[in-house]
Amino acid sequence: MGGSAKATVTEIEVAGHTVRLTSPDRIIFPERGFTKADVFHYYLSVGDGIMRALRERPTTLQRFPEGVEGEMFFQKRVPTRGVPPWIRTATISFPSGRSADELCPADLAHVAWAAQMGTIVFHPWPVRAADVDRPDELRIDLDPQPGTDFADAATAAGELHALLGELGATGWPKTSGGRGLHVYLRIQPRWTFTEVRRATIALARELERRRPELVTTAWWKEERGTRVFVDYNQMARDRTIACAYSLRANARATVSTPVTWDELPDVDPDDFDLRTVPARLAERGDPHAGIDDTPYDITPLLEWAERDAAAGQGDLPYPPDHPKMPGEPKRVQPSRAKRTTSEDTA
């Protein structure tokens, strides 16, 4: 009997395109009671902010068609059939050598279409469609380890802010939507992923030298201790971070939210969610409004990387699913490597 009822369908004009919204009453965030329509209209309400983060960027979609407690999958390839003719894509290459045509938002209608398809989290690459092999965004991911929390990440971010000031670079902080923090630099799109990752490692190491009790670049969890890990591998090819104004797939429906440096010490990331962020954006404007104004030349960071290499601090391990890279150290957990060496010499 229920199958004979017609599904609710609404057509909404977004950025000059007609976008269909189906099943608007479907519950997406059960704990908060937020529906698919709530998610859809949230993304329309933060349009300027999220388009500043997504425009012309190849974007992986994290989809939850039945809600955040249902099945989840990452969509990297836009289907060749059944999509509106105005949907734009960009071809990106993975470390494996394979490629995909990913959604590449040209306007807010692309975001609305993705929300209709059950997308909760938007994961853009740090590149633009004009040159998908040269990042224009350097991302610093401050990840609190067990025994640390958001306040520790905020303290580390404050140290990073001072360091960037010495470099003449402008950093743009945002909450991750969880316990962590992200700081973005717009950079000139002149360097490869490998070079930008090297620059990120050099920056992270300098931060670690200044606050070794607070910050670590140790890839292996057993070596991190109760410190904030700078996840430099977020700059490896095919690694992405939830963008500014993206919802996160947690019970509270939090949002990865741009903040100012002045307010950062007093921020509670749980305060930023589907309900509160649109009003904040409307009242205060976007703290990242000027992010595209001052792209940074990372040459000083690459010089630091050369200095570190000369002192015996070369590359660091890549993610386990990444091909082995020239100059990369062994991907062996230190305690395991010690056991192997002991067994070999026994």
Side-chain angles (χ1 to χ4, degrees):
M1 294 176 60
S4 63
K6 291 185 177 180
T8 301
V9 179
T10 305
E11 292 189 342
I12 301 169
E13 289 294 312
V14 184
H17 301 290
T18 300
V19 182
R20 299 171 73 247
L21 173 61
T22 63
S23 305
D25 296 329
R26 177 179 295 153
I27 298 296
I28 302 300
F29 290 94
E31 186 171 302
R32 304 293 303 276
F34 295 147
T35 65
K36 184 177 179 182
D38 291 328
V39 171
F40 186 94
H41 289 290
Y42 163 78
Y43 278 120
L44 297 187
S45 72
V46 297
D48 288 345
I50 198 164
M51 284 309 301
R52 189 170 288 114
L54 288 179
R55 191 180 303 278
E56 302 295 339
R57 295 192 184 281
T59 301
T60 300
L61 308 177
Q62 189 176 0
R63 293 176 56 188
F64 296 78
E66 302 302 321
V68 296
E69 295 183 356
E71 179 185 359
M72 180 277 289
F73 62 95
F74 289 94
Q75 181 171 340
K76 297 188 176 185
R77 291 174 173 81
V78 172
T80 56
R81 297 180 181 179
V83 301
W86 45 264
I87 288 289
R88 294 189 190 178
T89 62
T91 303
I92 47 85
S93 297
F94 302 118
S96 65
R98 300 178 67 189
S99 63
D101 293 332
E102 289 204 338
L103 184 72
C104 191
D107 54 40
L108 189 57
H110 288 68
V111 177
W113 173 81
Q116 152 63 17
M117 299 294 289
T119 301
I120 301 298
V121 190
F122 291 83
H123 296 266
W125 283 51
V127 300
R128 307 275 187 174
D131 192 341
V132 295
D133 293 315
R134 297 184 184 275
D136 74 330
E137 190 166 73
L138 187 155
R139 300 168 174 177
I140 302 115
D141 181 7
L142 300 173
D143 183 11
Q145 299 303 290
T148 63
D149 56 19
F150 181 85
D152 297 297
T155 300
E159 297 289 342
L160 176 62
H161 186 212
L163 178 55
L164 293 174
E166 295 173 21
L167 288 164
T170 302
W172 303 88
K174 69 180 180 70
T175 67
S176 69
R179 298 170 59 246
L181 267 167
H182 305 149
V183 179
Y184 285 5
L185 301 183
R186 281 290 190 269
I187 63 174
Q188 299 170 8
R190 294 166 44 194
W191 298 276
T192 65
F193 274 95
T194 301
E195 290 169 322
V196 177
R197 178 178 172 277
R198 287 185 66 220
T200 306
I201 290 173
L203 182 61
R205 279 175 165 158
E206 184 62 26
L207 186 62
E208 182 181 33
R209 289 186 194 102
R210 297 186 180 200
R211 293 297 302 271
E213 83 293 352
L214 175 66
V215 173
T216 180
T217 60
W219 176 247
W220 304 105
K221 291 183 178 180
E222 65 185 32
E223 295 186 325
R224 293 178 188 172
T226 53
R227 292 177 288 180
V228 176
F229 171 52
V230 184
D231 189 356
Y232 58 86
N233 268 332
Q234 292 294 358
M235 283 311 308
R237 181 184 286 272
D238 194 29
R239 280 309 203 255
T240 57
I241 298 176
C243 73
Y245 296 105
S246 176
L247 290 163
R248 302 310 308 268
N250 55 39
R252 286 194 49 79
T254 60
V255 172
S256 183
T257 305
V259 296
T260 67
W261 287 110
D262 288 342
E263 69 181 324
L264 181 57
D266 301 315
V267 160
D268 183 342
D270 280 350
D271 289 341
F272 304 132
D273 62 25
L274 184 152
R275 279 281 181 258
T276 62
V277 168
R280 169 186 163 87
L281 182 59
E283 178 183 344
R284 302 190 183 190
D286 184 4
H288 283 193
I291 194 170
D292 292 313
D293 295 345
T294 53
Y296 181 65
D297 179 343
I298 66 171
T299 299
L301 296 178
L302 292 173
E303 291 172 350
W304 283 3
E306 292 296 331
R307 174 202 65 190
D308 291 346
Q313 288 189 305
D315 204 355
L316 291 172
Y318 273 80
D321 58 348
H322 203 285
K324 184 70 175 178
M325 297 293 285
E328 180 190 359
K330 292 181 179 180
R331 296 182 196 174
V332 181
Q333 196 170 319
S335 59
R336 184 177 177 184
K338 291 175 183 176
R339 286 199 305 271
T340 303
T341 302
S342 298
E343 291 167 0
D344 290 342
T345 57

